[in-house]
Amino acid sequence: MNPGTPEVPAVEVPGTDPIPTDPTTTSPPTKPGKRPTRVSGAWIAAVVAIVLLAFLLVFILQNLDSVTVHFLGMSGSLPIGIAMLLAALGGMVVIALVAGARIMQLKKAGRRARK
């Protein structure tokens, strides 16, 4: 507030939620009964997954040129879209293993701290 500016009191309308006057709040007030549910979150995730899979399918179908892939002394020929998909899946597996190891480490530390 600026000095010399009178403070205006908040006015409440019956049957409505009061509007927060604090400028640091970032989320608007929620109405009772309008919270997102786990089922709605699952539906949104399913729709996003379907859209991403459709884009992935289009990518693979547009990149059917065959390439030779060399890995650990082995070599083989497969479509470049499939090769890139396999490389991405391999990266996800590595990340999942590292994340799983970290979760196990944190659980073990939590058990030690409780004792």
Side-chain angles (χ1 to χ4, degrees):
M1 285 271 154
N2 293 334
T5 306
E7 190 170 323
V8 179
V11 177
E12 291 188 31
V13 178
T16 62
D17 292 332
I19 298 173
T21 56
D22 185 11
T24 61
T25 58
T26 57
S27 61
T30 58
K31 295 182 180 179
K34 294 293 183 178
R35 294 183 185 156
T37 63
R38 289 182 183 177
V39 174
S40 67
W43 274 108
I44 291 170
V47 170
V48 170
I50 289 170
V51 170
L52 289 175
L53 287 174
F55 280 122
L56 182 63
L57 181 64
V58 169
F59 174 79
I60 290 172
L61 291 175
Q62 288 182 345
N63 291 287
L64 291 177
D65 296 336
S66 190
V67 295
T68 303
V69 178
H70 302 277
F71 183 69
L72 296 175
M74 299 177 289
S75 65
S77 181
L78 68 152
I80 193 168
I82 300 295
M84 292 178 71
L85 176 64
L86 291 175
L89 288 174
M92 286 186 241
V93 167
V94 169
I95 295 299
L97 290 173
V98 170
R102 179 64 177 150
I103 289 170
M104 297 289 281
Q105 185 183 33
L106 290 172
K107 283 184 177 182
K108 191 175 180 180
R111 281 192 294 264
R112 282 186 196 153
R114 281 188 293 247
K115 289 183 179 180

